[in-house]
Amino acid sequence: MDKYNLNNTYKAVVIGGSAGSFQGIVKILAQLPKNFPLPIIMCLHRLKHVRNGFVEALSLKSTLQVVEPFDKESIKKGIVYLAPSNYHMSIELGNHFAMSTEEMVNNSRPAIDITLGTAGYVYRDKLIGILLSGANRDGGLGMKHIKDKGGLTIVQEPTECMIDTMPKAALALTKIDHVLKIDQIVDFLKELEKHYK
Amino acid sequence: MVQDIDIADLKRITELVYTKYGYDFRNYAMSSFKRRMLRILELKNLNVESLLKKINEQPAFINEFLDELTVNVTEMFRDPGFWRIIRDEIIPGILLNHKQFKIWHAGCSSGEEVLSMAILLKEMGIESDVTLYATDLDVNILEKAKQGVYPAKNMELNEKNYVRFEGKKSLKEYYREENGKAIFHRELLQNVTFRKHDLVKGEIFNKFDLILCRNVMIYFNQTLQNEVLKKFHESLFKYGYLAIGSKESLIWCDIANRFLVVNNEEKVYKKIKD
């Protein structure tokens, strides 16, 4: 029955995406169980100087609340967190966020490698990392960090991606656990939720 | 290349820098501090042991170290909406009570925000009534801030921000270009006092009507954020304003109730209790 061999020890889900990932994200957020037992932490490439509108767009169909967290905000289950524009978003030991305005990484701020990498460091084998469609290599190294710390890694099936550079970068850098289509990622997250009941 | 650095090694570095030079990074937020350290190791081609040795044996290295450690990425008129609020609401509010007043840019970095403020004040026609203080821990970057010279390639973004700020002119009228550099008119900075100041250990040195400290405290942990906020509180006149970055918040701080939120979107607070 449980093809993904899941359990109830995970502490967070972290998702990275760029060009071509928006529709997939919307689809995932629209079908998440209402009492999803983990925080969902997202770092998506976005326009640097447009601060408003993205949370609203993602909230339209989301079953869970979507917020852009503040620096040092505690991370809570059942909330979707979105990295704000023009800041890098890290996870700190002690289960809270930290923002930074450091140099761009992979030509990006927020950079997916930073969010994924710090999440991997904090949550170790209690983390699920998901990387979706995207046009640059940002996120590949972050997925490797997650894998190296024992976390579970998923990339979107490259053939389904509008632009497959990002998932392919991850596949080239580490042994990804599951290569899934968006519908399968939704099934995976639903399956995961059952373990927490 | 060093791929990772563990907390014990980070502590050895901060302890040495503190005991030898008095700079206290022990309460910096770990995630960004660690990235800065990895960056220094890579840039200087060092490992933890050789970095410790260099800090210990070469006092001249400390300024270079501080310069790389502190984050000096900034823009002119970053968050144009913030600058409009400063021009259209905050400064007119201060002017109701004082014709002359003082502004402190705490952690001014390379000075882009100081210059933005100087331009804003000039366009309001009150530049000679306002004294600006710009401070930073890093003497190298302070020197840059004093020059008011920036890479010309940064000007496209700065100009875009300025247009969204709805400035009166074109940003080009405030600088001349030479050899790939944008050299801002010297008189813009004539009412600015630049000085070295350490937010963590530094004394209260003046009283202000407005303090800007945007995207500086994000590099501190909550203990240090609390301490620094107390210093800002003490450095503000009653009913003075404090501006922080759009993704920073005071609500977790011990003395949050001594401030009132004036603008939640742009994170401007007003001191309402001594």
Side-chain angles (χ1 to χ4, degrees):
Chain A
M1 173 69 211
D2 187 349
K3 58 189 163 193
Y4 300 112
N5 195 23
L6 294 167
N7 59 60
N8 66 353
T9 65
Y10 293 102
K11 300 273 194 252
V13 176
V14 61
I15 302 177
S18 184
S21 68
F22 184 76
Q23 294 305 332
I25 299 257
V26 167
K27 215 166 166 183
I28 292 168
L29 295 184
Q31 297 179 73
L32 275 175
K34 279 201 171 61
N35 295 311
F36 196 73
L38 303 177
I40 294 181
I41 300 165
M42 300 197 304
C43 183
L44 309 175
H45 288 166
R46 52 189 296 182
L47 292 171
K48 208 176 140 195
H49 290 278
V50 181
R51 238 167 50 188
N52 301 318
F54 206 4
V55 163
E56 291 78 355
L58 290 171
S59 297
L60 282 176
K61 290 188 175 166
S62 177
T63 57
L64 301 177
Q65 190 190 359
V66 183
V67 301
E68 286 177 355
F70 286 101
D71 179 56
K72 308 298 169 339
E73 184 166 335
S74 295
I75 300 171
K76 299 194 181 84
K77 66 179 184 180
I79 294 181
V80 177
Y81 296 98
L82 176 70
S85 75
N86 215 0
Y87 283 95
H88 291 305
M89 183 171 86
S90 303
I91 319 302
E92 287 269 331
L93 291 168
N95 207 33
H96 55 258
F97 292 105
M99 301 302 156
S100 111
T101 58
E102 285 159 275
E103 296 81 357
M104 292 201 272
V105 172
N106 305 315
N107 225 1
S108 309
R109 188 170 54 228
I112 301 169
D113 276 344
I114 287 188
T115 303
L116 266 52
T118 54
Y121 179 77
V122 168
Y123 297 117
R124 304 200 170 240
D125 60 343
K126 309 287 188 282
L127 179 68
I128 295 165
I130 303 175
L131 193 62
L132 306 176
S133 172
N136 84 3
R137 305 174 62 80
D138 190 23
L141 210 52
M143 291 296 273
K144 182 181 183 323
H145 282 306
I146 293 173
K147 183 69 190 175
D148 290 349
K149 301 284 181 197
L152 186 68
T153 50
I154 298 171
V155 298
Q156 187 177 0
E157 167 79 60
T159 56
E160 192 196 50
C161 291
M162 194 183 286
I163 303 169
D164 62 11
T165 315
M166 204 175 257
K168 276 188 169 167
L171 285 164
L173 284 168
T174 189
K175 196 185 171 315
I176 294 294
D177 296 292
H178 304 295
V179 179
L180 304 176
K181 294 188 168 161
I182 292 292
D183 287 337
Q184 293 172 303
I185 293 173
V186 170
D187 287 342
F188 172 93
L189 293 170
K190 284 180 176 168
E191 191 63 50
L192 179 69
E193 190 242 0
K194 288 181 191 158
H195 288 268
Y196 288 78
K197 281 182 175 164
Chain B
M1 186 186 139
V2 184
Q3 294 286 344
D4 206 355
I5 182 166
D6 60 38
I7 292 178
D9 281 336
L10 291 173
K11 289 213 163 110
R12 286 167 70 204
I13 299 167
T14 52
E15 286 299 331
L16 178 64
V17 170
Y18 181 63
T19 51
K20 197 155 170 88
Y21 301 99
Y23 295 109
D24 192 353
F25 294 102
R26 294 175 299 180
N27 282 314
Y28 268 52
M30 196 56 85
S31 55
S32 50
F33 187 78
K34 182 169 135 181
R35 276 195 300 277
R36 300 316 281 176
M37 280 302 150
L38 287 169
R39 187 169 173 274
I40 289 175
L41 294 177
E42 195 185 334
L43 280 171
K44 312 285 175 195
N45 200 16
L46 298 166
N47 58 36
V48 173
E49 299 310 322
S50 54
L51 175 69
L52 284 165
K53 193 164 185 284
K54 205 165 164 121
I55 292 170
N56 198 31
E57 292 171 6
Q58 298 179 26
F61 175 66
I62 195 70
N63 285 338
E64 204 180 320
F65 177 80
L66 294 180
D67 198 29
E68 295 300 347
L69 179 64
T70 51
V71 173
N72 292 313
V73 180
T74 173
E75 300 163 19
M76 289 182 72
F77 297 100
R78 180 182 165 125
D79 304 321
F82 165 78
W83 292 95
R84 290 198 301 266
I85 298 275
I86 291 292
R87 177 190 58 201
D88 301 338
E89 294 174 27
I90 305 303
I91 289 181
I94 298 172
L95 287 172
L96 285 179
N97 297 312
H98 317 279
K99 199 179 155 325
Q100 296 182 316
F101 61 94
K102 284 177 286 186
I103 300 175
W104 177 19
H105 291 264
C108 68
S109 186
S110 41
E112 279 88 338
E113 295 219 333
V114 184
L115 203 49
S116 307
M117 184 64 84
I119 290 170
L120 180 153
L121 295 170
K122 194 176 170 66
E123 294 191 356
M124 290 182 83
I126 57 170
E127 71 273 23
S128 50
D129 298 325
V130 186
T131 314
L132 304 175
Y133 288 80
T135 65
D136 206 283
L137 173 70
D138 172 0
V139 288
N140 290 354
I141 207 74
L142 213 47
E143 207 44 54
K144 250 183 221 167
K146 277 185 205 169
Q147 302 303 319
V149 177
Y150 302 101
K153 65 174 167 53
N154 294 2
M155 288 303 129
E156 192 187 325
L157 172 61
N158 291 339
E159 178 79 48
K160 262 188 200 159
N161 286 346
Y162 177 80
V163 168
R164 290 174 56 214
F165 157 70
E166 295 160 13
K168 283 188 173 170
K169 302 179 176 180
S170 156
L171 196 59
K172 282 194 175 61
E173 295 188 36
Y174 296 103
Y175 66 88
R176 63 190 161 85
E177 255 188 77
E178 217 175 274
N179 301 325
K181 296 222 159 76
I183 303 166
F184 278 83
H185 300 163
R186 289 235 51 94
E187 71 269 16
L188 284 169
L189 296 177
Q190 68 190 5
N191 285 339
V192 186
T193 304
F194 290 94
R195 62 184 277 177
K196 183 185 171 179
H197 180 264
D198 181 349
L199 277 177
V200 182
K201 290 185 63 203
E203 72 289 3
I204 309 291
F205 65 96
N206 214 325
K207 281 265 190 185
F208 297 93
D209 301 277
L210 168 60
I211 298 176
L212 283 88
C213 185
R214 301 173 72 222
N215 301 318
V216 175
M217 289 192 284
I218 49 179
Y219 299 105
F220 304 162
N221 69 16
Q222 282 179 292
T223 308
L224 185 52
Q225 288 185 346
N226 263 316
E227 285 175 29
V228 172
L229 185 64
K230 279 181 196 144
K231 286 187 190 177
F232 287 152
H233 179 265
E234 214 176 312
S235 303
L236 277 173
F237 289 117
K238 198 171 179 186
Y239 306 121
Y241 297 91
L242 171 66
I244 59 177
S246 64
K247 279 296 156 191
E248 299 182 82
S249 180
L250 293 187
I251 56 172
W252 300 290
C253 292
D254 301 340
I255 56 165
N257 65 349
R258 297 187 203 172
F259 290 90
L260 179 82
V261 182
V262 177
N263 189 299
N264 196 40
E265 181 74 7
E266 302 299 345
K267 292 289 172 289
V268 184
Y269 297 82
K270 186 178 199 165
K271 171 174 167 178
I272 50 164
K273 278 189 217 160
D274 279 321

